[in-house]
Amino acid sequence: MYSCAQCALHSCKEENPDKLPANCPMQDKSRYDEWLEVYRQDENENFYVKSAELEADGYGQWGRLKETMEFCKMMGYKRVGIAFCMGLRKEAKVIDSLFRKAGFTPVSVICKTGGIPKEAMGIAKEKKLEPDAFEAMCNPIAQAKLLNEQHTEFNILVGLCVGHDSLVNKYSTAPVTTLIAKDRVLAHNPAGAVYCAESYYKDKL
């Protein structure tokens, strides 16, 4: 079982690593040559190279929004999808406007599209935020399908729920990136819990 997160050596970052933990996946280097060829496939090579160039171009200077816009420019994308949460509709409006101003054609789809009650998927009323009120289900598969219909070239997730974001990834034809990860408690900054996990936030995890 691999445990790179607990590794104290990180020999992978060295040019000629000679010390590897017993459970390091690099013990079998032959696989990496095979996987390198996957990067060289037409569908992946330019995408990967531009991603690496983006890292160098904006390192320590650009926020993720700027990085996302610059990546779309580098790839020549024009039609950009935005799959967003109802709770971040104001943020989605700003993001949409910024992409328009930068010359893109954004296509946005809200999570509640379809207006389907949660009961349609067997969600019990005690698992709703307001048990006796109408609540539309989040509809990430529809979000992906609608963006597919619009032939978006690159899709951006804005504040989708855990699991729902996974379904957009699963059913999206275009590549997907996350711009904002939902965290209702920490102002959509889930890294905050990590940074405070051994101090202020430890009793909440």
Side-chain angles (χ1 to χ4, degrees), residues 44-58:
N44 296 327
E45 184 170 16
N46 187 52
F47 191 92
Y48 178 78
V49 169
K50 294 300 183 188
S51 300
E53 292 175 350
L54 179 76
E55 178 188 12
D57 290 346

Side-chain angles (χ1 to χ4, degrees), residues 10 42 49 52 67 79 94 102 109 114 155 166:
H10 296 298
D42 290 343
V49 169
E67 280 194 337
R79 188 172 287 255
V94 172
V109 181
N155 292 333
S166 303

Side-chain angles (χ1 to χ4, degrees), residues 14-201:
E14 299 174 5
E15 187 173 7
N16 295 300
D18 55 1
K19 294 181 180 179
L20 300 174
N23 67 336
C24 179
M26 288 174 56
Q27 292 285 0
D28 181 2
K29 292 295 293 292
S30 63
R31 299 174 297 173
Y32 289 88
D33 293 334
E34 177 184 342
W35 296 333
L36 190 61
E37 291 306 312
V38 180
Y39 286 104
R40 294 188 174 118
Q41 294 175 1
D42 290 343
E43 62 186 290
N44 296 327
E45 184 170 16
N46 187 52
F47 191 92
Y48 178 78
V49 169
K50 294 300 183 188
S51 300
E53 292 175 350
L54 179 76
E55 178 188 12
D57 290 346
Y59 198 89
Q61 302 178 64
W62 299 341
R64 190 172 179 90
L65 176 58
K66 172 72 170 176
E67 280 194 337
T68 302
M69 296 176 74
E70 291 299 321
F71 181 70
C72 289
K73 291 176 184 177
M74 293 168 72
M75 291 298 297
Y77 298 144
K78 291 297 184 182
R79 188 172 287 255
V80 177
I82 302 172
F84 70 97
C85 169
M86 170 72 79
L88 283 88
R89 57 192 179 277
K90 292 181 180 178
E91 292 87 342
K93 185 176 182 179
V94 172
I95 293 164
D96 181 279
S97 297
L98 290 171
F99 270 87
R100 290 180 190 279
K101 185 177 179 180
F104 297 98
T105 302
V107 180
S108 55
V109 181
I110 196 167
C111 65
K112 299 298 184 182
T113 186
I116 302 169
K118 289 183 176 180
E119 288 82 355
M121 283 304 298
I123 298 171
K125 73 174 188 176
E126 59 267 21
K127 291 297 183 180
K128 294 166 54 179
L129 298 177
E130 297 183 38
D132 296 317
F134 171 83
E135 287 183 12
M137 63 178 272
C138 294
N139 204 343
I141 293 177
Q143 286 179 289
K145 296 287 188 180
L146 290 168
L147 293 177
N148 292 346
E149 284 182 5
Q150 293 292 305
H151 305 291
T152 54
E153 298 167 282
F154 193 65
N155 292 333
I156 299 166
L157 304 187
V158 177
L160 297 190
C161 298
V162 173
H164 297 165
D165 52 3
S166 303
L167 287 171
V168 175
N169 276 278
K170 182 176 181 178
Y171 288 96
S172 174
T173 300
V176 180
T177 194
T178 297
L179 179 59
I180 301 176
K182 172 172 283 179
D183 191 318
R184 298 179 182 89
V185 175
L186 296 176
H188 308 300
N189 175 31
V194 178
Y195 297 135
C196 296
E198 296 177 347
S199 57
Y200 303 110
Y201 208 73

